[in-house]
Amino acid sequence: MVRRVAVIGAGNSGLVCIKTCVDEGLEPVCFESSDDIGGLWRYKESLEPERSSIYRSLVVNTSKEMMCYSDFPMPADYPNYMHNSQLLQYFRLYADHFDLLRYIRFQTTIRSVTQRPDFSASGQWDIVTTNGEGEEESHVFDAVMVCSGHYTKPVLPLSDFPGNEKFSGRCLHSLEYKDADAYRGKRAVVVGIGNSGGDIAVEISRSAEKTFLSTRQGSWVMGRMSGNGCPMDMAYVTRLNNVLMLLLPKSLLNWAVERGLNSRYDHRLYGLKPKHRVMDQRPLINDDLPVRIFQGALVMKPNVKGFTASGVVFEDGTVEENIDTVVFCTGYNGNFPFLPPALSEGPHKELTLYKSVFPPSLSQPTLAVMGVFQTRGPIMPIVEMQARWAVKVFSGLSRLPPKEKMLKTSSFIHYIPYLDFMAEEVGVRPNVLRLLLSDPVLWVRVFLGPCTPYQYRLTGPGKWAGARQAILTQWERVARPFRTRELPEPESRPSVLFSPWLLVSAGVVTIAVVLSKNDLVPLLQGAARVLDQSKSFLMDFTVWSR
């Protein structure tokens, strides 16, 4: 029986794993190599070996309501897209509120995690750690949750570019980048157009004489704001949109989204247009990149081909001379050296994981890896649900399929379907149809509104009494940081023809007709009672939709 669980890392993933274990009656022990919580999100002035690093100006690219823990909303006065220091403060509030620090052993580094000799029967693990004084200690645990992230071993492909050895400028990985102070008056090349590459290129372009952004494939670029200045992810990541994506042809979806993005700035004209369609890969989230291109401070270039003594050669044959620095935003090696090598079964010796959590080769599912995936949506709610699912598997309350099925997996996941899959395993998936009949006000928020993490605390194990209210007030928290200048409220009257009251009425009646042909009258009477109980719906929806 699983009791003691080792949690490796005290970043955002490790904290929620500790809490989840405690909620399920398990005994977590968290090993953190540094002297504080926060992991990746704890900014440090200097680079530390074997630890992740961020740049000083980093701002999150998912909004606060979408990325918060499901039973702990972020403070209402937080900006919708916050600086890294505020996110770290949120982690401190979370850890203090749920008293998580007492489970963490700081300055303790994991050396090895290996199966015990009787693993096939016990599922237990031997873990070797060293403390700050270098003293080694051995432990036995019933299960392990790996939350150490995969942003510590940078990929710096210098050997792929001829002439790099004679280049007189500096080459570095984005892991080393802190701010643009050192680039003032310089000429810089940034290689790679992921989120880090876009951010760093924009920031350097504000100080450098000239900045070039080199990309092999290009990227679709999306800002953080949607219509009316609201968070983009709250408009995009909804259950309604998820249904439309399942029903509509992918070619139509690609056309519609690409048309919308190109209406803001023509990706071909700006040199951004990628080879792939917009639904095939994650877009780049950046508000300022097109503006810097528009102003001429940032120049788009194709992939780097090689180096000269003082310049960079690109694949189109152009050469930019007098380059002072090249920043490689080329990703990280995702392996975990302390885990058994046999778990890395991928074609490039990468870790193979079922549903991005469980190694299929283990005879006992007592090891889970958190946060190793790509998706179009916030990371933190997925990691939290991974933790809730993992402890159910550890406890035998959820079963994994045979190994043959688990080997058919992908590192890219679809946000809402993946959350709903794990929620179904845990027993917390929202029943949208039942909500429509029992609580139409909440149904509108859950189905038509953003898929915020609170939805997975409405029912089932771990139900949170504040979940409904958190959903009903989520747009109030979005608006709160804007209310810094008092303005008179405009008078407005909702249209009767497009009244949400009528929409929900039609939905209830339609479902009643579809579900029963024999008992139509009793069902219609029941639907009428539901509508009668929702007299505040119109007023509530009007406030929500402002």
Side-chain angles (χ1 to χ4, degrees), residues 147-266:
C147 308
S148 55
H150 54 287
Y151 297 108
T152 59
K153 298 189 179 302
V155 175
L156 187 60
L158 279 178
S159 59
D160 294 345
F161 304 110
N164 72 85
E165 66 283 348
K166 62 182 180 182
F167 176 59
S168 60
R170 183 189 179 199
C171 293
L172 69 150
H173 191 273
S174 58
L175 180 74
E176 301 177 59
Y177 178 84
K178 292 298 179 181
D179 56 44
D181 291 349
Y183 298 84
R184 191 168 304 280
K186 302 293 182 65
R187 289 168 59 85
V189 174
V190 178
V191 180
I193 199 171
N195 286 323
S196 294
D199 283 350
I200 291 172
V202 165
E203 184 166 89
I204 290 177
S205 74
R206 294 194 175 99
S207 296
E209 174 190 316
K210 203 73 171 180
T211 305
F212 304 92
L213 178 54
S214 168
T215 172
R216 184 171 51 199
Q217 294 186 333
S219 180
W220 295 101
V221 181
M222 184 179 294
R224 290 176 175 86
M225 286 192 297
S226 66
N228 295 326
C230 292
M232 173 61 76
D233 52 4
M234 293 187 74
Y236 175 70
V237 185
T238 71
R239 291 187 177 276
L240 174 61
N241 283 345
N242 185 60
V243 171
L244 293 176
M245 290 176 66
L246 294 174
L247 296 178
L248 296 177
K250 190 175 181 180
S251 58
L252 176 61
L253 293 170
N254 279 318
W255 173 83
V257 176
E258 289 172 9
R259 186 172 182 272
L261 294 177
N262 281 323
S263 69
R264 300 188 177 194
Y265 29 83
D266 188 325

Side-chain angles (χ1 to χ4, degrees), residues 11 109 181 187 216 276 317 371 374 390 401 413 476 486 542:
T109 302
D181 291 349
R187 289 168 59 85
R216 184 171 51 199
H276 59 268
Q374 296 182 17
I413 58 178
E476 294 176 16
E486 195 169 324
T542 302

Side-chain angles (χ1 to χ4, degrees), residues 353-366 389 393 396-409 418 421-422 425:
L353 299 172
Y354 170 64
K355 294 292 183 180
S356 301
V357 180
F358 295 101
S361 59
L362 292 177
S363 57
Q364 295 283 355
T366 54
W389 180 34
V393 172
L397 300 176
S398 178
R399 300 285 182 180
L400 299 182
K403 178 181 177 180
E404 295 73 24
K405 184 176 180 180
M406 290 196 289
L407 287 172
K408 300 176 182 178
T409 186
Y418 182 58
F421 163 79
M422 292 187 291
E425 295 294 314

Side-chain angles (χ1 to χ4, degrees), residues 27-249:
E27 300 170 7
V29 177
C30 178
F31 299 103
E32 169 55 44
S33 61
S34 73
D35 59 358
D36 200 359
I37 65 171
L40 171 71
W41 293 101
R42 187 166 67 91
Y43 173 76
K44 299 168 285 291
E45 285 290 343
S46 57
L47 186 65
E48 299 177 4
E50 300 297 318
R51 295 211 178 106
S52 55
S53 176
I54 57 175
Y55 36 98
R56 181 181 286 110
S57 63
L58 180 60
V59 172
V60 300
N61 58 21
T62 51
S63 65
K64 66 178 182 180
E65 290 299 306
M66 296 295 292
M67 70 181 296
C68 66
Y69 295 120
S70 62
D71 54 358
F72 195 71
M74 290 196 185
D77 61 347
Y78 269 35
N80 288 287
Y81 291 93
M82 70 203 71
H83 186 258
N84 62 80
S85 59
Q86 289 175 296
L87 182 58
L88 178 60
Q89 180 59 30
Y90 172 69
F91 295 148
R92 297 196 194 285
L93 293 173
Y94 182 77
D96 290 343
H97 182 78
F98 293 107
D99 195 19
L100 304 180
L101 296 182
R102 63 194 181 101
Y103 300 99
I104 304 174
R105 297 187 184 182
F106 291 107
Q107 295 186 319
T108 305
T109 302
I110 300 292
R111 293 303 176 196
S112 65
V113 177
T114 56
Q115 294 126 298
R116 302 209 80 206
D118 63 343
F119 179 82
S120 59
S122 68
Q124 291 182 324
W125 297 85
D126 285 320
I127 295 182
V128 178
T129 63
T130 54
N131 60 22
E133 286 72 43
E135 298 170 337
E136 194 171 278
E137 187 178 356
S138 297
H139 317 260
V140 176
F141 283 94
D142 300 313
V144 179
M145 305 178 85
V146 179
C147 308
S148 55
H150 54 287
Y151 297 108
T152 59
K153 298 189 179 302
V155 175
L156 187 60
L158 279 178
S159 59
D160 294 345
F161 304 110
N164 72 85
E165 66 283 348
K166 62 182 180 182
F167 176 59
S168 60
R170 183 189 179 199
C171 293
L172 69 150
H173 191 273
S174 58
L175 180 74
E176 301 177 59
Y177 178 84
K178 292 298 179 181
D179 56 44
D181 291 349
Y183 298 84
R184 191 168 304 280
K186 302 293 182 65
R187 289 168 59 85
V189 174
V190 178
V191 180
I193 199 171
N195 286 323
S196 294
D199 283 350
I200 291 172
V202 165
E203 184 166 89
I204 290 177
S205 74
R206 294 194 175 99
S207 296
E209 174 190 316
K210 203 73 171 180
T211 305
F212 304 92
L213 178 54
S214 168
T215 172
R216 184 171 51 199
Q217 294 186 333
S219 180
W220 295 101
V221 181
M222 184 179 294
R224 290 176 175 86
M225 286 192 297
S226 66
N228 295 326
C230 292
M232 173 61 76
D233 52 4
M234 293 187 74
Y236 175 70
V237 185
T238 71
R239 291 187 177 276
L240 174 61
N241 283 345
N242 185 60
V243 171
L244 293 176
M245 290 176 66
L246 294 174
L247 296 178
L248 296 177

Side-chain angles (χ1 to χ4, degrees), residues 221-395:
V221 181
M222 184 179 294
R224 290 176 175 86
M225 286 192 297
S226 66
N228 295 326
C230 292
M232 173 61 76
D233 52 4
M234 293 187 74
Y236 175 70
V237 185
T238 71
R239 291 187 177 276
L240 174 61
N241 283 345
N242 185 60
V243 171
L244 293 176
M245 290 176 66
L246 294 174
L247 296 178
L248 296 177
K250 190 175 181 180
S251 58
L252 176 61
L253 293 170
N254 279 318
W255 173 83
V257 176
E258 289 172 9
R259 186 172 182 272
L261 294 177
N262 281 323
S263 69
R264 300 188 177 194
Y265 29 83
D266 188 325
H267 281 60
R268 180 180 294 278
L269 177 65
Y270 278 57
L272 292 165
K273 184 175 172 60
K275 299 176 182 178
H276 59 268
R277 303 301 301 272
V278 68
M279 304 300 292
D280 294 337
Q281 293 185 26
R282 291 185 303 170
L284 168 64
I285 306 298
N286 197 293
D287 303 300
D288 302 323
L289 181 65
V291 176
R292 301 305 292 167
I293 296 173
F294 190 62
Q295 295 172 347
L298 183 60
V299 177
M300 296 301 301
K301 301 293 287 186
N303 196 33
V304 171
K305 182 179 180 181
F307 290 86
T308 66
S310 61
V312 175
V313 182
F314 298 94
E315 288 186 345
D316 61 356
T318 59
V319 180
E320 294 295 340
E321 291 289 355
N322 301 317
I323 298 298
D324 299 286
T325 306
V326 179
V327 183
F328 286 88
C329 303
T330 44
Y332 296 83
N333 188 325
N335 292 333
F336 298 88
F338 52 80
L339 291 179
L343 300 182
S344 300
E345 301 176 310
H348 303 291
K349 298 300 180 182
E350 70 272 16
L351 202 60
T352 302
L353 299 172
Y354 170 64
K355 294 292 183 180
S356 301
V357 180
F358 295 101
S361 59
L362 292 177
S363 57
Q364 295 283 355
T366 54
L367 184 141
V369 182
M370 306 287 111
V372 184
F373 56 82
Q374 296 182 17
T375 187
R376 296 188 193 92
I379 301 298
M380 285 171 52
I382 289 183
V383 173
E384 181 178 11
M385 191 59 71
Q386 285 181 331
R388 296 174 73 182
W389 180 34
V391 297
K392 293 294 183 184
V393 172
F394 293 163
S395 303

